[in-house]
Amino acid sequence: MSTQPSRPQNSPSPDETEVAALYHRLLDCWNKRNAHDFAALFVENGNSVGFDGSQMNGRAEIEVDIGQVFADHQTAAYIGKIREVRLLTPDVAILRAVVGMVAPGQSDINPAVNTMQSLVAKKQDDRWRIALFQNTPAQFHGRPELVQQLTDELRQLL
């Protein structure tokens, strides 16, 4: 017999809830254009792969590179939807999400920059941090109906 308290089948565990909150903080830091707080969400040797394939290794490099992006560009705001949070071990989780972006001064998602995002989180000292964050353009080459379907799904979040 299990001595663990049961939870409803589709109810997230406390750790899954914390990983989802970590992801939402990441999007919030991006939307507020705060490179320091964005980078602080990563483990010291964390990695990030940008939309354009650029790689950032380590918290310090992530902060500098993201700060440069914010300094050089008017970045669009993320509108994200988590598709899955899954614990691989008690201290490692993956999160998969879909994201649209709304350019400054606009009110609609730009389908050309829809993204699939993946995050690997690691629990250290009872706190979840990002080990790897990756953006992959969701262009569905040759399948425009899938771009439209994803854009319509994300528009429901506006």
Side-chain angles (χ1 to χ4, degrees), residues 122-142:
K122 180 164 179 41
K123 193 173 193 179
Q124 293 180 326
D125 302 322
D126 290 325
R127 187 172 181 188
W128 286 97
R129 294 203 180 268
I130 301 165
L132 172 67
F133 177 62
Q134 178 159 350
N135 285 293
T136 302
Q139 295 306 298
F140 305 107
H141 298 291

Side-chain angles (χ1 to χ4, degrees), residues 4-140:
Q4 294 286 346
S6 63
R7 58 184 169 88
Q9 186 130 359
N10 293 329
S11 176
S13 72
D15 283 323
E16 290 167 333
T17 300
E18 287 182 40
V19 170
L22 173 67
Y23 175 72
H24 288 297
R25 284 194 305 276
L26 183 77
L27 296 186
D28 189 54
C29 290
W30 175 273
N31 291 345
K32 290 180 178 176
R33 301 170 53 87
N34 188 323
H36 175 76
D37 288 354
F38 184 96
L41 298 172
F42 286 78
V43 296
E44 187 64 39
N45 65 345
N47 308 99
S48 182
V49 180
F51 183 84
D52 65 353
S54 59
Q55 297 185 33
M56 296 160 272
N57 301 305
R59 191 183 296 157
E61 185 175 315
I62 292 168
E63 182 174 353
V64 168
D65 287 2
I66 293 296
Q68 195 65 51
V69 169
F70 292 155
D72 293 344
H73 305 291
Q74 283 285 45
T75 53
Y78 282 133
I79 305 294
K81 180 178 181 181
I82 295 173
R83 291 259 173 99
E84 174 187 27
V85 177
R86 182 172 15 128
L87 294 175
L88 300 178
T89 70
D91 62 350
V92 176
I94 60 170
L95 177 145
R96 295 181 315 107
V98 291
V99 177
M101 299 188 89
V102 178
Q106 300 296 310
S107 60
D108 196 14
I109 291 170
N110 176 358
V113 290
N114 287 346
T115 304
M116 310 301 269
Q117 293 183 333
S118 300
L119 180 146
V120 177
K122 180 164 179 41
K123 193 173 193 179
Q124 293 180 326
D125 302 322
D126 290 325
R127 187 172 181 188
W128 286 97
R129 294 203 180 268
I130 301 165
L132 172 67
F133 177 62
Q134 178 159 350
N135 285 293
T136 302
Q139 295 306 298
F140 305 107

